[in-house]
Amino acid sequence: MKDNQEERFPLVDEVGRVIGSATRGECHNGSKLLHPVVHLHVFNSRGEVYLQKRPEWKDIQPGKWDTSVGGHIDYGETPELALTREVREELGIAEFTPERVGMYVFESRRERELVYVHRTVYDGEINPSKDELDGGRFWTLEEIRAAIGQQTLTPNFESEFQRFFL
C-alpha cells in the first residue's frame, strides 16, 4: 500500500485562505507548497494521550508514533469536515467533541503544512484502521517526555505536543 500521489490538496496562505491546489506528490516533493492538515489529540479522563503508529509504507515519517489523528484537508473541504472524516477513518470514532487549541505552520525538509490543532477527551472504544495505521495506544505524559528526542515520535508531534500540551 502507498499514498495516492495524485490526490489534490488545497494550497493556502498562512491564515487558511485557499489560493490554489496541488497534488500530494507536489506538496511532498520539497516544494514547500503550504497545504492544510487537521490534528486531533485524544486524551482519556486519566490524562493519557492516544498515539497512532504510522505504517512503514507512509511517505512521511514511516514507523514512528504520531498524533492521535492527522490528515490532509481535501480540496473543497472545511477543517471541521476533514477532522470528522479523519477521526472516523483512522480511529473509528463517530461521536466526539473537538476543541480547537491552535493553528500554526509546520515546516520540514520536504513540506510545509498549516496545522489546525484540536483536542478532545474520549473514554470510548477506539478501533484503529488496519488500512491506515499500525495500531496505537494511550501514553502517559511521562512516557511521552521520555520518548522526545529518541527518534520514536515524529518531529511534528514532538514540537506540537510540547507547544500546546507540556
Side-chain angles (χ1 to χ4, degrees):
M1 183 168 244
K2 63 190 281 193
D3 288 320
N4 175 3
Q5 297 301 308
E6 298 305 312
E7 183 179 5
R8 288 208 82 73
F9 297 152
L11 298 179
V12 296
D13 63 17
E14 273 140 19
V15 295
R17 284 188 297 258
V18 176
I19 57 172
S21 72
T23 66
R24 174 190 293 270
E26 292 167 330
C27 289
H28 290 177
N29 70 3
S31 67
K32 307 286 180 102
L33 295 170
L34 186 62
H35 57 288
V37 299
V38 290
H39 286 178
L40 179 69
H41 297 267
V42 177
F43 289 84
N44 62 25
S45 57
R46 293 184 304 280
E48 300 166 327
V49 65
Y50 188 89
L51 299 185
Q52 62 163 266
K53 180 92 181 279
R54 294 179 63 79
E56 293 295 335
W57 56 260
K58 293 300 274 183
D59 64 342
I60 303 282
Q61 300 294 325
K64 293 195 176 175
W65 290 91
D66 202 2
T67 309
S68 310
V69 174
H72 290 91
I73 297 174
D74 290 338
Y75 191 77
E77 191 175 41
T78 65
E80 295 76 20
L81 286 174
L83 185 67
T84 299
R85 175 181 53 76
E86 289 288 345
V87 172
R88 188 174 42 255
E89 286 174 5
E90 292 186 3
L91 300 184
I93 298 172
E95 302 274 333
F96 68 102
T97 305
E99 170 194 349
R100 186 178 292 175
V101 296
M103 185 170 86
Y104 70 99
V105 174
F106 174 78
E107 186 168 339
S108 72
R109 190 173 39 81
R110 291 182 61 184
E111 65 175 335
R112 281 178 74 226
E113 296 177 328
L114 179 64
V115 184
Y116 292 86
V117 182
H118 302 81
R119 72 178 307 260
T120 195
V121 175
Y122 182 80
D123 287 315
E125 189 174 336
I126 296 177
N127 296 299
S129 167
K130 289 178 180 22
D131 294 332
E132 293 193 38
L133 309 176
D134 276 350
R137 70 174 178 89
F138 279 97
W139 292 54
T140 66
L141 295 183
E142 293 76 27
E143 287 176 306
I144 291 171
R145 282 188 185 100
I148 289 175
Q150 302 301 310
Q151 306 298 315
T152 303
L153 309 168
T154 66
N156 191 349
F157 170 77
E158 287 183 1
S159 64
E160 183 174 304
F161 201 78
Q162 289 176 92
R163 178 179 190 167
F164 292 103
F165 303 109
L166 288 182

